[in-house]
Amino acid sequence: IAGTNIINGPFLGGNFWSDYNGTDTDGDGIGETNLPYNSGGNITNGGDRLPFVAKQQINRCIVISTPGVYVLATNIINSNATICIEITSRNVIFDGAGYTVDGIDTSNTYGVYVNNSSFTLTNVTVKNLSVTDWYHGIYYQNAQNGSISNNTVS
């Protein structure tokens, strides 16, 4: 059913569960893994096939090491970090929400770095982001089946 749900996603349905550990692999706010959710066996008939997944708000440079949807909540300006947004997990959507990750124009720095030396990352999306003043704006290494869309890098 189309409409706006309680987490501002595009579909109606489901519930928010504090202990649901599935992943939203397509960024619509509804979990696609570990279904149907049965609340640790407390739902004995069926289960929730549309559990909501909270989007995690980001407001600083960070390492993203678990699957999920991450949304930048503010501009990060004049960061002196070597890597501002480091993604080391599969099944991550990083939505810049139109905000900027800004560095200080130093060599060998990364605005967004997608890499894990232990295994190949899959399904990592970086979108809706402005990246400025980094040696490498958005850099994928040891990754496949990801996407980079609607970004501005300078």
Side-chain angles (χ1 to χ4, degrees):
I1 300 174
T4 302
N5 63 43
I6 62 170
I7 58 171
N8 294 318
F11 301 106
L12 298 176
N15 299 285
F16 178 77
W17 303 89
S18 64
D19 61 345
Y20 172 65
N21 65 357
T23 302
D24 175 13
T25 60
D26 62 8
D28 67 359
I30 297 173
E32 280 81 39
T33 64
N34 299 337
L35 297 176
Y37 175 72
N38 67 11
S39 187
N42 292 319
I43 301 173
T44 57
N45 192 7
D48 191 345
R49 295 187 181 279
L50 300 169
F52 291 143
V53 176
K55 295 180 180 181
Q56 300 180 49
Q57 300 290 311
I58 303 294
N59 59 15
R60 60 183 169 76
C61 293
I62 190 170
V63 175
I64 298 173
S65 59
T66 57
V69 177
Y70 297 82
V71 179
L72 192 60
T74 189
N75 293 317
I76 300 172
I77 303 298
N78 291 327
S79 172
N80 63 357
T82 301
I83 301 171
C84 189
I85 305 299
E86 183 174 6
I87 301 173
T88 63
S89 175
R90 298 176 175 109
N91 301 318
V92 169
I93 296 172
F94 179 73
D95 186 346
Y99 289 107
T100 297
V101 173
D102 177 65
I104 56 172
D105 204 17
T106 305
S107 64
N108 299 316
T109 58
Y110 300 82
V112 179
Y113 184 46
V114 177
N115 181 47
N116 189 311
S117 60
S118 298
F119 56 87
T120 301
L121 294 181
T122 55
N123 302 319
V124 175
T125 297
V126 177
K127 64 182 183 176
N128 306 322
L129 180 65
S130 177
V131 183
T132 58
D133 295 328
W134 300 92
Y135 189 80
H136 301 283
I138 300 172
Y139 194 88
Y140 278 52
Q141 183 174 4
N142 197 26
Q144 62 186 22
N145 298 327
S147 71
I148 301 170
S149 64
N150 198 34
N151 299 294
T152 303
V153 179
S154 61

